[in-house]
Amino acid sequence: PDTLLYAYLDDTYCLDAPAAAVACMDTGARVTEADCRVASNLSKQCVWSPGGAAALAPLSSRVALRGTPNAPPTKGHERAGGGTLLGIKVLGAFLGDVGWCSAQLVKRVRIALEPLDGIIQLRDAPSLDIAQQAQHCLMRYCSNTTLVYFLRTMPPSMTIEAAQEHNRLVASAFHRIVGSEAGSPAP
């Protein structure tokens, strides 16, 4: 009973040594089904440890559990070796190998800022000359909160590349809107 449990909506996290955490996770699934008649989505369950495959070795026989050393590859989940995961997502933030977490966050920033391309294409109507103002307002709205959560929940070593990519994409959009090149004043 020393396992620390975190739960948020339908996500549950068991923090302990790998074998104890998985035992807690299994108990939670059984009790929830028995007492509440709610089945856990076992396909979403996974295990990760900063100790890697060595720390997860006691779970090698659990091949159906994503993240164990002998688990088969799962699309979209990069491996450190065997079935061991490089990291996991916890409440939307990434936890694990610095390079993996950083790459996941850069991907997320690029997806979140894809609307900038559409914003840049806004044009004035014949009787309404406010496209540039609308572009700036929408750009600000789309870009201001993109990284805030991650900057608060993940260390700088994992967020710096995403922050730089965010700044590059926003600066590029700004310069396309005002008709200047990055680093030079608008005409």
Side-chain angles (χ1 to χ4, degrees), residues 68-157:
T68 58
N70 295 326
T74 306
K75 184 179 178 179
H77 296 277
E78 292 85 358
R79 307 293 179 168
T84 307
L85 298 173
L86 290 171
I88 59 173
K89 193 158 84 169
V90 178
L91 296 174
F94 301 101
L95 175 68
D97 173 77
V98 172
W100 179 83
C101 291
S102 178
Q104 298 306 305
L105 190 52
V106 167
K107 274 195 258 183
R108 185 173 174 104
V109 165
R110 287 180 180 146
I111 290 168
L113 293 180
E114 280 178 359
L116 291 177
D117 287 332
I119 291 168
I120 292 164
Q121 295 175 27
L122 291 173
R123 297 292 175 251
D124 290 323
S127 62
L128 199 57
D129 189 19
I130 61 164
Q132 192 174 61
Q133 181 179 0
Q135 288 171 321
H136 286 291
C137 287
L138 289 169
M139 184 176 69
R140 181 176 179 194
Y141 176 78
C142 289
S143 64
N144 269 357
T145 60
T146 307
L147 278 174
V148 173
Y149 174 74
F150 302 103
L151 293 173
R152 291 180 179 171
T153 58
M154 297 171 64
S157 60

Side-chain angles (χ1 to χ4, degrees), residues 2-5 12-29 45-49 56 59 62 65:
D2 292 335
T3 301
L4 182 59
L5 292 174
T12 306
Y13 304 92
C14 305
L15 282 64
D16 204 336
V22 169
C24 181
M25 183 172 63
D26 292 342
T27 300
Q45 290 182 339
C46 68
V47 61
W48 175 81
S49 172
L56 296 168
L59 301 172
R62 298 283 303 263
L65 180 59

